Amino acid sequence: MPEQKPIYVTQPHLAPLEEVQAYLSRIWSSKVVSHNGPLIQQLENDLKQKLGLRYMSIVLNGTLGLQMAIKALDLKGEIITTPFTYVATLCAINWEGCTPVYCDIDTETFNMDPDKIEELITPETVAIMPVHVFGTACDIERIEAIARKHHLKVIYDAAHAIGTRVKGNSIFNYGDISVTSLHATKIFNTGEGGACMANSEELDEKLQRIRFYGHDENREISVQGTNGKMTEIHAAIGLANLKYFDVVLHDRKLKYQLYKKLLSDLPQLRYQKIEREETNYAYFPVVFESEAQLLKVENALKANLIFPRRYFYPSVNLYKDITTYQPTPVSEDLSKRILCLPLYYALKVEEMERVVKMVAECLAS
Ligand code: T4K
């Protein structure tokens, strides 16, 4: 029997090496490696065109992008966010000296529950930072109506959401600023990376100054900046990968639907409610009836070299060393019962069938 290869929760999609090398050779000729070079500019333009965006500032990673967004909007005070997220959302709020206030999530969509936002607003509230969790759009209409009513800024943590659309419009076009991640584990990646999408030219220019230590076009310092510049090398990976964006996105949807079909005989399992067809199906989260059931399945899969992931456990409001606990019972409960199964472009149908067979056997035993 051939040795079985491990199956991880994800695997980056990488363009053929020679296609990356073609971009890299431009860097080796021009010697422009950083400082908003031609490849970064091309990647920004190509992504804007592909996604239908007016503004985009590519940055080093999504976490820094969130920090830069907070800085660009001059936010100081409480930011209402979701506890069902990766710790990066919390890191960004804390690093900028703001205070996270946790709004519990909807039991079906796993996104911030708009019914619970207004009761959290105080005179200190300055913004709402929802997450389009697993790439599934939040209730943007209601969130933005609440923000308008209370004069709050909205920063969407759209780390998972590249390719998600709402009524044909990129999800990145919502909020004062949307921030995505271009990390290796995302549908479209530059290795490490992120991007800030502002809703005005003025804000976009400010973000560009912030990512370049605060310099304006005359090299004067006009704002507190940082070093948020992505290198041309990462842009080369991104430009090569961009050619495959549509193929990878389409494959995700087919695989998501196949998993749902293969798992349809298991009434113990529940799934994220996806209300809009145009989601990117970035992850395949499965909700178990109990944590014990989840652990049993996770251990059985791991024993067979299959490594699903508990995104996002624990609920971040429980990280007592970096945040003040505020109860969010839905998030705390769901985060214990959600497991993401492997989902990526190179994953074979036979491998998905093997994963499902093991889940089914484990639940039956
Ligand atoms: N907001 C939200 C809601 C986020 O989820 C994130 C990040 C951010 C903000 C911040 O964006 P960035 O600053 O990261 O741009 C990942 C990612 O590091 C992180 O980007 C992501 N979200 C978070 C949810 O997960 P892990 O813990 O999954 O990484 P790791 O190394 O365990 O990788 C998972 C599997 O993927 C591995 O078992 C094997 C495979 N893999 C991974 C990498 C990195 C590869 O095959 N090759 C690779 O290079 O973190």
Side-chain angles (χ1 to χ4, degrees):
M1 266 246 312
E3 203 187 317
Q4 215 165 58
K5 282 209 314 221
I7 301 176
Y8 297 107
V9 66
T10 192
Q11 185 184 98
H13 177 265
L14 295 172
L17 190 54
E18 41 310 347
E19 294 180 21
V20 183
Q21 271 164 348
Y23 286 106
L24 290 178
S25 54
R26 294 200 210 168
I27 304 171
W28 263 246
S29 304
S30 70
K31 311 286 186 259
V32 177
V33 185
S34 188
H35 283 203
N36 203 19
L39 296 186
I40 287 285
Q41 290 183 36
Q42 187 182 338
L43 183 59
E44 281 177 350
N45 286 334
D46 289 359
L47 274 170
K48 280 192 282 190
Q49 200 178 9
K50 167 140 261 356
L51 302 172
L53 308 170
R54 291 181 71 192
Y55 309 109
M56 170 180 278
S57 296
I58 286 183
V59 293
L60 271 177
N61 58 63
T63 312
L64 187 64
L66 289 170
Q67 284 180 233
M68 288 171 51
I70 295 171
K71 188 73 82 193
L73 293 167
D74 289 319
L75 301 178
K76 290 175 189 70
E78 294 175 359
I79 298 183
I80 298 175
T81 190
T82 167
F84 188 63
T85 183
Y86 188 53
V87 69
T89 316
L90 172 57
C91 294
I93 294 172
N94 283 349
W95 267 91
E96 290 309 311
C98 292
T99 306
V101 173
Y102 298 107
C103 176
D104 211 351
I105 55 170
D106 180 88
T107 49
E108 305 291 319
T109 66
F110 315 158
N111 277 324
M112 187 183 270
D113 183 345
D115 283 337
K116 297 181 180 147
I117 297 175
E118 280 190 287
E119 66 203 50
L120 299 171
I121 296 174
T122 73
E124 303 303 315
T125 310
V126 288
I128 310 175
M129 190 188 282
V131 177
H132 303 299
V133 83
F134 302 133
T136 298
C138 296
D139 192 339
I140 43 174
E141 289 90 355
R142 287 193 58 204
I143 290 170
E144 292 186 15
I146 294 168
R148 267 196 307 276
K149 181 172 155 199
H150 296 274
H151 309 289
L152 303 174
K153 300 292 183 189
V154 179
I155 298 173
Y156 285 111
D157 179 339
H160 311 159
I162 194 160
T164 293
R165 303 174 82 80
V166 172
K167 296 180 195 142
N169 192 9
S170 169
I171 192 69
F172 294 166
N173 279 320
Y174 294 87
D176 292 277
I177 304 178
S178 275
V179 180
T180 199
S181 167
L182 305 176
H183 180 259
T185 53
K186 302 300 185 296
I187 285 189
F188 168 74
N189 81 87
T190 55
E192 285 278 354
C196 298
M197 279 67 59
N199 70 352
S200 72
E201 190 176 353
E202 192 191 349
L203 206 46
D204 182 53
E205 277 174 4
K206 191 168 180 189
L207 284 162
Q208 289 182 31
R209 276 180 275 141
I210 289 173
R211 82 173 166 186
F212 195 45
Y213 316 99
H215 287 298
D216 64 17
E217 61 277 14
N218 303 316
R219 285 251 169 180
E220 298 296 323
I221 295 296
S222 53
V223 62
Q224 173 63 64
T226 186
N227 182 357
K229 294 173 274 100
M230 180 188 269
T231 69
E232 292 285 282
I233 296 167
H234 289 91
I237 298 173
L239 283 165
N241 283 345
L242 192 54
K243 189 172 145 194
Y244 300 92
F245 181 81
D246 292 329
V247 176
V248 172
L249 197 64
H250 185 61
D251 174 77
R252 261 326 141 104
K253 183 172 184 175
L254 296 182
K255 289 207 168 100
Y256 188 100
Q257 289 168 339
L258 178 61
Y259 258 140
K260 283 282 287 275
K261 195 166 149 221
L262 293 171
L263 290 162
S264 60
D265 288 338
L266 301 175
Q268 302 93 327
L269 303 181
R270 217 162 56 70
Y271 306 95
Q272 185 180 26
K273 182 173 177 188
I274 297 179
E275 287 163 309
R276 307 180 207 246
E277 265 298 288
E278 305 158 285
T279 192
N280 67 358
Y281 301 96
Y283 295 77
F284 192 80
V286 172
V287 188
F288 291 86
E289 286 167 339
S290 66
E291 187 176 22
Q293 201 178 54
L294 176 149
L295 291 171
K296 193 173 156 201
V297 170
E298 188 190 25
N299 289 334
L301 291 173
K302 281 185 174 168
N304 286 280
L305 295 185
I306 298 167
F307 298 95
R309 277 296 281 273
R310 298 184 75 182
Y311 295 130
F312 295 102
Y313 172 79
S315 186
V316 301
N317 56 319
L318 293 165
Y319 284 123
K320 63 177 173 36
D321 291 331
I322 58 167
T323 195
T324 305
Y325 176 70
Q326 302 146 42
T328 53
V330 179
S331 174
E332 287 167 41
D333 168 52
L334 267 172
S335 65
K336 288 186 193 145
R337 298 189 285 119
I338 291 185
L339 189 65
C340 287
L341 299 185
L343 183 63
Y344 52 92
Y345 185 73
L347 186 69
K348 298 189 183 89
V349 170
E350 308 85 79
E351 291 172 326
M352 294 173 69
E353 286 168 346
R354 194 150 65 85
V355 171
V356 169
K357 187 163 171 270
M358 264 172 225
V359 174
E361 281 171 4
C362 200
L363 289 176
S365 67

